Amino acid sequence: MASAVKRTALKLGMIPADGIGKEVLPAAQRVLEALGSSIPKTTFIPLQAGWEEFNRNGKALPDETVKILKEECDGAMFGSVSSPSHKVAGYSSPIVALRKHLDLYANVRPVSSVSIPNQKSYHQCDMVIVRENTECLYIKKEEISTNPDGSKKAIAYRQITSNASSRIGKMAFEIALRRGAEREAARKAGKEVWWNGEPKVTIVHKSNVLSVTDGLFRESVRAVKEGTDRYNGVKMEEQLVDSMVYRMFREPEIFDVAVAPNLYGDIISDGAAALVGSLGLVPSINAGDDFVMGEPVHGSAPDIEGQNIANPIASIRSAALLLSSLGYVEPASRINAAVDTVLAEGEYLTPDLGGKSSTTDVTDAVLKRL
């Protein structure tokens, strides 16, 4: 991830894009602004991208947006995108393109159970899903042809490289090391830590069928641990992706850090949101070596757009993840503590969590507890 640098000021690109992104990103900005002097003076730069931008100007990701992010910004926040479900000439997902332009090769999604009133919880869950962000089927190389009998044939190309697999594997092992150190520090401080044993990385693949592509991913990630003593204290295991989904819902408490190729990571991280109540709670960051962009896991939710009932928590938590990745750990912890308090109290919950509060109500409640 981007290394912590001492700054006198911060510039963050804000890309609300489509749907409820235009409602939850301002909520995250309000929380960041409320931190005051605990972070450097922050300038928020509004930037354009998305399906709506494509319909306005013919380009889902304007060159100017990429230029400003690269040349002026220390980090960014992305809202949500409404990509069409069918092929549209000239359109390509702006979030996928941003990951490539900025070399944001990792999507890091923590999923942790919280106490939410009126929500039945069967398992403890505190895992991080580390998703390779730049290749797999998401290289978007597809073609369609007509067979002699007039039927159609569509082919999608899947790319897995040892370089991309190795660096995502390294990030997963580094995250596991850090989580292990944090748990040990908590134990020494007398705090309760329910995870017992060594930190663990689970490699998710389907190499029993896709022996070449998933085989390369599996071998490359395994080589990260096997090639150094640094990760001797991190346990390594494997799960076939279908088994991973089953066990994640049956016994999520057995997982610590999971690392997966792009498509599998996308699916299991969205599915994992069900373990904690809602996609509206789950944050993520798109991380590279030199840049980090926060992004709530949920989509653009056009069915509730403009109603002021979208859950802002995922966006607010994504802002906290962004701060932490930039080196501002204490302010990020304050945000997370405020969010956890609001959820635990249960007075201000949006409809996705069984409540009746608005986006504004929940944001105000978080601000009050800051």
Side-chain angles (χ1 to χ4, degrees):
M1 298 184 196
S3 58
V5 176
K6 189 173 181 179
R7 302 173 177 88
T8 57
L10 271 177
K11 283 189 177 182
L12 299 179
M14 304 296 282
I15 313 166
D18 303 318
I20 62 170
K22 299 190 293 290
E23 300 169 50
V24 299
L25 215 62
Q29 182 171 328
R30 288 182 64 200
V31 172
L32 289 171
E33 289 170 339
L35 291 171
S37 61
S38 61
I39 61 174
K41 183 178 179 181
T42 304
T43 301
F44 299 92
I45 304 175
L47 298 170
Q48 298 299 319
W51 173 243
E52 296 171 22
E53 175 66 15
F54 174 80
N55 286 321
R56 283 191 298 264
N57 298 310
K59 200 163 188 179
L61 182 60
D63 294 338
E64 183 70 8
T65 294
V66 177
K67 183 175 185 292
I68 291 173
L69 287 172
K70 285 184 172 181
E71 296 179 2
E72 299 182 28
C73 294
D74 301 296
M77 288 286 297
F78 190 92
S80 57
V81 64
S82 297
S83 291
S85 58
H86 57 283
K87 182 176 176 60
V88 175
Y91 178 83
S92 183
S93 169
I95 187 65
V96 173
L98 275 172
R99 290 165 181 165
K100 292 179 180 178
H101 280 297
L102 301 172
D103 197 24
L104 305 178
Y105 61 85
N107 186 263
V108 181
R109 300 185 175 185
V111 182
S112 182
S113 57
V114 293
S115 176
I116 304 173
N118 305 316
Q119 170 125 358
K120 201 169 185 180
S121 178
Y122 296 97
H123 298 282
Q124 288 179 309
C125 172
D126 184 17
M127 63 188 296
V128 175
I129 298 169
V130 184
R131 165 189 168 193
E132 203 290 317
N133 234 0
T134 64
E135 49 181 27
C136 189
L137 286 167
Y138 287 49
I139 62 171
K140 293 181 69 66
K141 185 179 180 182
E142 299 178 285
E143 60 186 42
I144 190 165
S145 60
T146 302
N147 294 317
D149 64 0
S151 62
K152 300 289 186 181
K153 178 174 70 175
I155 297 175
Y157 292 88
R158 185 175 195 251
Q159 174 181 297
I160 299 290
T161 64
S162 58
N163 286 344
S165 302
S166 296
R167 68 178 181 176
I168 199 67
K170 181 179 179 181
M171 181 170 286
F173 279 103
E174 288 295 325
I175 289 172
L177 267 185
R178 187 180 73 239
R179 282 165 64 82
E182 289 170 352
R183 287 193 287 256
E184 186 59 29
R187 287 190 188 96
K188 289 180 179 178
K191 297 179 182 178
E192 183 179 356
V193 178
W194 65 266
W195 178 273
N196 293 313
E198 299 173 315
K200 180 169 67 174
V201 169
T202 302
I203 308 170
V204 182
H205 59 81
K206 190 68 176 174
S207 62
N208 60 328
V209 176
L210 301 171
S211 57
V212 176
T213 50
D214 272 14
L216 179 60
F217 180 83
R218 172 186 176 272
E219 292 163 8
S220 299
V221 176
R222 289 189 64 90
V224 171
K225 174 175 168 62
E226 293 166 351
T228 179
D229 293 336
R230 177 171 174 79
Y231 306 121
N232 285 350
V234 179
K235 186 177 178 181
M236 179 172 63
E237 64 174 29
E238 301 178 26
Q239 286 287 321
L240 297 177
V241 64
D242 43 354
S243 173
M244 176 71 190
V245 172
Y246 177 79
R247 297 192 72 184
M248 187 176 71
F249 284 105
R250 293 281 295 181
E251 44 185 350
E253 66 276 8
I254 70 170
F255 295 109
D256 186 14
V257 177
V259 60
N262 208 338
L263 178 63
Y264 305 156
D266 193 1
I267 293 170
I268 64 175
S269 55
D270 275 16
L275 298 169
V276 296
S278 170
L279 278 169
L281 295 175
V282 182
S284 79
I285 53 169
N286 297 279
D289 293 330
D290 302 307
F291 200 86
V292 179
M293 179 171 65
E295 179 197 5
V297 168
H298 60 69
S300 61
D303 55 321
I304 62 170
E305 179 185 356
Q307 299 178 44
N308 195 29
I309 58 172
N311 193 336
I313 295 299
S315 186
I316 293 170
R317 281 178 161 169
S318 296
L321 271 179
L322 172 63
L323 283 183
S324 180
S325 299
L326 293 174
Y328 305 104
V329 176
E330 191 276 333
S333 297
R334 285 177 56 202
I335 292 174
N336 287 325
V339 167
D340 290 347
T341 300
V342 169
L343 292 173
E345 290 173 350
E347 183 180 356
Y348 297 100
L349 300 176
T350 43
D352 59 309
L353 296 175
K356 296 181 179 180
S357 300
S358 68
T359 307
T360 305
D361 291 336
V362 175
T363 307
D364 289 343
V366 172
L367 289 170
K368 183 178 178 181
R369 284 149 187 82
L370 270 177

